[in-house]
Amino acid sequence: MRLQVTKAAAPHAEGLTGVAWTAGNDVWACSEDQALWRWPAEGNPPSKVCELDAPCSSLHWYPCASRKPQPGATTDVFLLAADDGTFRLMRANGREEKRVDAHAGPLTAIQWNQEGTAVATGGQDGALKIWSRSGMLRSVLAQIDGPVLCLAWSPDAAALVYPRGGLLLVAPLAAGARPLQWRAHDAPILAVDWSPAADKIASGGEDAIYKVWDTDGRPLFQSAPLPSACTALAWAPGGCHLAVATRGAVYLCESSGVFASHYSFEGSMVRSVAWSCDGSRLAVGGAGGLLAVGHMVKRRVEWGSHSALLAEPARIRVQEVGSAAQEELEVREAVVAMSFAYDHLLVATAHQVAIYGVASWNTPVVVEVADTPLLLLQAERLFLLADPSAGVQLLSYTGRTLATPKWQGLRPEALTGANCSLSNDTLAVVDRLDPRCVRCLSTATGQPVGEPLRHSQDVLHVALSQGGTPAERRLALIDRNRDLYCTALQSPALGRLGAAVEGLAWHAAADVLLGLAGGRVLQWAAPGVLAADPSLLPATTASLDVSQHGPRLELVAYGEPAATLRTPRGTLVHVAVSPYPLALAQAAAAGRWEAATRLCRCVADDGLWAALAARALAARETATAEAAYAALGQVAMVDALAYIRALPREEARAAQLAVLQGRIEEAEGILLQAGLVYRAIKIHIRAKNWDRALEVAVKQKSHVDTVLWYRGAELAVTGREETHALFLQFSQQVEINEEQIRLKICQEKERESQGSMSTAKRR
């Protein structure tokens, strides 16, 4: 990627100290000569809005991503930080709404929070203050021995990050909470920003180095020394890019922090940078009246053998591997976002989304949008479009709207590819108001599906499996501890698959999962193994070393049969992974168990046999599971499965499989629904769960004497006396006749066999 400067002007006699974008994509700037300037999005020359009575150090527009705000919304308000110690609430027409005496000396930093409900200011006097949106002082958050040169809000507006010399401090707003601090630079820090989407902190200082941190102060990246001090930096809205300014240049970096390209401004010191709301353009302001706007170009997306390159702001070059032919796609406006998956290329501009199919590049489907698209997310049969005005929409590749999901706390600008995942039937979203909660919604209706899934830790990344039916849909997530969990949506029960996982991706057409951890690609051949047989997890997990491609890799996609990784410099690397788990998953999904067994015999790999055992158990294919366990040499499981296969009733077999997998309650429900009361009681007797066994017998009014008899036999063997009050009570009320109990059990087993035969005849 690189910055292509399309506009540049020097309208000021003195330098620009701050630049900002409006929701309508106008660029505003304040200057040392006490003037306020506006550069319209239409391309007209910059014009002076008004004269001020004091030099201003920075400005910040009300945070609104929509160019069509709701009626009555006060989104044309912006903040100006002045050298006379005041900040002003201004209107777009240049009228001053309110002036607040904030600091004893020049203001050095000012920023709205993400919601636009509070303002943070820092001054030369060392004070860090919080204000209401109307300018009323709420608190003095900190007082340091030196100026507060910069600050940034956390995404949830619950904390602020600011420097004190070479230290970085994260100060919670909650009363009594202690700030987190760490040594970040060897010289004073001049710039800091906190990415709402990536949840990372970037800092730059007089030591000519910029760094990237996680929110706990752990270092993620450190740059090589730049030619001069870092004067400004800013995360792009989606967290995918970072812009770092020095005295004579702007550096574009990947989300990891690694340098990608730079643009030099000879003879001008850059003092301020700001991204447009859609993240496709960068405004630059600096000394000598420097004011420039550049477009992000040379961005590339890939799918299968095709790649699409944004060659110019409104021109895309598509090429297929192995072919010299190229397709040139022209759109009428600058490209805001691109996405390429499932044989469809989506190209978004500020007013439309063009849908191209790989079979026909000349006839795109064009969808008009109400606002600048913020996120494009694709599944096999549909895609998600998020924009500030229309919210979230689900559309088919023919352009038809399928649903418009809504949920509490929905903010389209807060959605990313990490906290949101889409499949053909389900949309999964991390709740912005409660990051430990994952909401699942139907793509057909937009309505919630079941209760939200709750985890014990904040969820950072979610991903839905893509292959199979809705009943087979799985959700994988990475939490704040970097632990990977997986669950089936039909019966949510989170199971831990791995630790220290940095990224994950499902195969586009099969229930196989990849993860990236510590320079290794991990492949889970049967992600449902924890529900089937947790002891098989190590065998079904394969590992591939990819550290030769460098540190801080990113897992982009899982195609057949390779994983796509992105290096810190943005280069895409394709790494081959085993194709056998995919073939096994596809055979199992189609019910071709004999073919799956032949594959395992041909490959002769214990990991593949273990994956077959797990998948067969989940599908209640006991014969296949028995063969797989036999190949693994697990005699006890083979015997257990042989016993289950010999049971006459299908319900009894299903229940015993559930018992084998530790799902006792499910087994009880299956048996009671089928009228097999004795079987339901017996599973609790075998598990020594005497209380539940007696409870079921009393509730069903059957086999109370059977439970008491088995209980007495157990106590006799161990040489103990009965002390349980409930069992003592029923022992006095119920007569225990061993001969009658045995006869009753035999009669029930006989009825069970007859019921099985009659069921077989009906079939």
Side-chain angles (χ1 to χ4, degrees):
M1 66 174 181
R2 66 180 176 87
L3 189 67
Q4 179 178 317
V5 176
T6 55
K7 299 178 180 180
H12 313 297
E14 299 184 39
L16 296 177
T17 54
V19 292
W21 291 85
T22 68
N25 287 325
D26 295 346
V27 178
W28 284 63
C30 58
S31 65
E32 291 175 340
D33 60 1
Q34 304 181 190
L36 190 62
W37 295 80
R38 173 178 175 265
W39 195 350
E42 295 80 10
N44 296 323
S47 60
K48 185 182 292 187
V49 177
C50 65
E51 294 279 352
L52 303 168
D53 58 1
C56 292
S57 59
S58 63
L59 77 163
H60 193 207
W61 270 82
Y62 186 88
C64 179
S66 174
R67 67 171 185 263
K68 294 183 178 180
Q70 297 298 320
T74 58
T75 55
D76 64 341
V77 175
F78 63 96
L79 300 167
L80 273 177
D83 287 353
D84 61 1
T86 65
F87 71 86
R88 295 96 185 278
L89 279 78
M90 306 286 294
R91 290 283 185 180
N93 58 9
R95 182 167 59 91
E96 183 180 298
E97 287 284 306
K98 189 169 186 177
R99 179 180 302 202
V100 179
D101 291 319
H103 292 265
L107 257 74
T108 50
I110 192 166
Q111 194 178 84
W112 293 101
N113 67 2
Q114 296 295 321
E115 306 288 341
T117 57
V119 177
T121 61
Q124 194 77 28
D125 58 1
L128 178 64
K129 299 183 179 182
I130 309 297
W131 309 80
S132 71
R133 63 176 294 170
S134 61
M136 300 297 292
L137 180 64
R138 288 182 176 174
S139 66
V140 179
L141 193 61
Q143 180 68 55
I144 63 175
D145 53 349
V148 179
L149 298 177
C150 50
L151 57 86
W153 285 93
S154 66
D156 58 3
L160 280 163
V161 60
Y162 66 97
R164 188 177 70 203
L167 298 176
L168 269 182
L169 295 92
V170 176
L173 269 61
R178 298 183 61 182
L180 170 70
Q181 70 174 33
W182 65 93
R183 171 64 62 178
H185 292 260
D186 296 328
I189 297 170
L190 304 179
V192 67
D193 195 20
W194 195 327
S195 170
D199 208 17
K200 299 176 184 177
I201 297 171
S203 62
E206 284 188 356
D207 55 4
I209 291 174
Y210 67 89
K211 301 182 181 182
V212 179
W213 314 86
D214 70 9
T215 55
D216 294 321
R218 290 187 289 262
L220 302 177
F221 176 81
Q222 176 177 322
S223 73
L226 301 176
S228 59
C230 299
T231 54
L233 54 79
W235 287 103
C240 298
H241 309 296
L242 174 68
V244 180
T246 64
R247 288 190 170 90
V250 171
Y251 294 81
L252 294 180
C253 311
E254 300 288 347
S255 60
S256 62
V258 171
F259 162 78
S261 65
H262 81 286
Y263 190 94
S264 297
F265 295 93
E266 297 294 339
S268 295
M269 183 178 75
V270 180
R271 300 178 63 176
S272 180
V273 292
W275 290 94
S276 61
C277 295
D278 54 35
S280 65
R281 283 167 287 181
L282 186 71
V284 179
L290 169 68
L291 181 58
V293 173
H295 286 265
M296 292 285 293
V297 294
K298 302 302 180 185
R299 289 179 285 171
R300 185 187 300 272
V301 289
E302 294 185 353
W303 171 255
S305 60
H306 291 83
S307 70
L309 173 70
L310 181 62
E312 301 292 337
R315 184 166 60 87
I316 299 166
R317 185 179 299 128
V318 181
Q319 188 168 10
E320 186 174 5
V321 175
S323 172
Q326 292 184 348
E327 295 285 345
E328 296 284 340
L329 310 180
E330 299 278 350
V331 291
R332 66 185 186 187
E333 296 177 301
V335 174
V336 170
M338 297 190 303
S339 180
F340 202 174
Y342 301 100
D343 292 336
H344 289 88
L345 172 64
L346 307 181
V347 179
T349 68
H351 295 89
Q352 66 179 28
V353 175
I355 307 169
Y356 296 89
V358 295
S360 177
W361 296 107
N362 299 321
T363 55
V365 176
V366 177
V367 178
E368 300 294 328
V369 294
D371 215 328
T372 304
L374 300 173
L375 177 66
L376 298 171
L377 207 59
Q378 293 183 253
E380 182 185 10
R381 296 197 293 267
L382 71 161
F383 68 95
L384 177 147
L385 169 64
D387 73 65
S389 294
V392 174
Q393 301 178 73
L394 300 176
L395 300 96
S396 69
Y397 289 110
T398 60
R400 183 170 62 92
T401 301
L402 303 176
T404 54
K406 290 180 172 59
W407 60 89
Q408 186 179 4
L410 168 63
R411 286 192 64 176
E413 61 271 24
L415 296 179
T416 68
N419 62 24
C420 182
S421 182
L422 181 68
S423 69
N424 287 333
D425 47 75
T426 308
L427 170 65
V429 184
V430 178
D431 194 326
R432 186 179 61 87
L433 303 178
D434 181 6
R436 299 185 179 191
C437 174
V438 179
R439 296 180 179 271
C440 294
L441 303 100
S442 166
T443 58
T445 64
Q447 298 300 310
V449 178
E451 292 296 321
L453 179 66
R454 299 194 176 276
H455 188 43
S456 59
Q457 300 289 330
D458 288 357
V459 177
L460 301 182
H461 193 170
V462 291
L464 287 164
S465 62
Q466 300 298 312
T469 64
E472 300 165 338
R473 190 73 57 228
R474 296 188 183 278
L475 174 73
L477 64 87
I478 299 175
D479 65 18
R480 183 166 290 280
N481 295 331
R482 295 293 173 184
D483 289 334
L484 173 63
Y485 289 81
C486 187
T487 183
L489 290 186
Q490 269 208 343
S491 54
L494 285 171
R496 186 171 175 270
L497 287 179
V501 180
E502 302 155 11
L504 72 156
W506 290 95
H507 188 267
D511 182 20
V512 181
L513 182 65
L514 285 190
L516 186 64
R520 305 189 72 84
V521 169
L522 304 177
Q523 183 183 45
W524 286 276
V529 63
L530 293 175
D533 184 354
S535 68
L536 298 174
L537 176 59
T540 59
T541 306
S543 177
L544 176 66
D545 187 7
V546 293
S547 59
Q548 69 272 21
H549 298 293
R552 296 184 298 277
L553 297 171
E554 178 186 353
L555 180 57
V556 178
Y558 182 17
E560 191 172 352
T564 302
L565 307 175
R566 180 182 287 117
T567 69
R569 293 191 177 278
T571 306
L572 294 178
V573 178
H574 301 284
V575 179
V577 296
S578 174
Y580 300 121
L582 296 179
L584 179 67
Q586 290 166 345
R592 294 184 287 109
W593 296 104
E594 290 184 6
T597 305
R598 287 197 301 271
L599 173 66
C600 291
R601 290 198 178 105
C602 180
V603 177
D605 176 71
D606 283 353
L608 206 61
W609 278 115
L612 177 62
R615 292 186 180 278
L617 275 182
R620 298 178 181 174
E621 286 290 329
T622 51
T624 305
E626 187 178 340
Y629 278 109
L632 293 170
Q634 296 194 19
V635 178
M637 285 296 294
V638 173
D639 291 343
L641 289 168
Y643 164 74
I644 291 172
R645 290 181 62 200
L647 294 174
R649 288 282 294 272
E650 181 181 342
E651 296 89 348
R653 294 193 293 271
Q656 289 300 324
L657 271 176
V659 171
L660 193 63
Q661 296 164 5
R663 304 195 307 272
I664 304 296
E665 291 184 4
E666 179 183 337
E668 177 193 299
I670 293 172
L671 293 170
L672 291 179
Q673 187 174 4
L676 304 177
V677 178
Y678 171 69
R679 292 278 186 191
I681 292 171
K682 191 64 180 290
I683 61 174
H684 291 295
I685 292 175
R686 284 188 177 140
K688 310 301 181 186
N689 188 3
W690 296 105
D691 288 354
R692 183 58 185 169
L694 183 58
E695 182 181 345
V696 172
V698 171
K699 187 174 181 179
Q700 297 295 322
K701 299 179 181 179
S702 178
H703 285 289
V704 176
D705 55 345
T706 305
V707 176
L708 297 174
W709 176 56
Y710 274 111
R711 172 74 169 180
E714 170 75 12
L715 294 175
V717 170
T718 59
R720 292 181 292 124
E721 293 186 0
E722 183 62 77
T723 58
H724 196 295
L726 200 58
F727 277 88
L728 289 172
Q729 174 188 336
F730 279 100
S731 296
Q732 297 173 0
Q733 298 175 1
V734 177
E735 180 184 352
I736 300 175
N737 186 317
E738 182 177 347
E739 185 178 343
Q740 290 182 358
I741 292 172
R742 289 184 181 278
L743 178 61
K744 183 165 53 174
I745 292 173
C746 289
Q747 290 173 345
E748 185 158 330
K749 287 182 176 180
E750 185 178 348
R751 285 196 301 271
E752 183 180 334
S753 300
Q754 292 173 352
S756 175
M757 293 175 59
S758 61
T759 301
K761 289 179 180 179
R762 287 197 299 271
R763 290 177 179 174

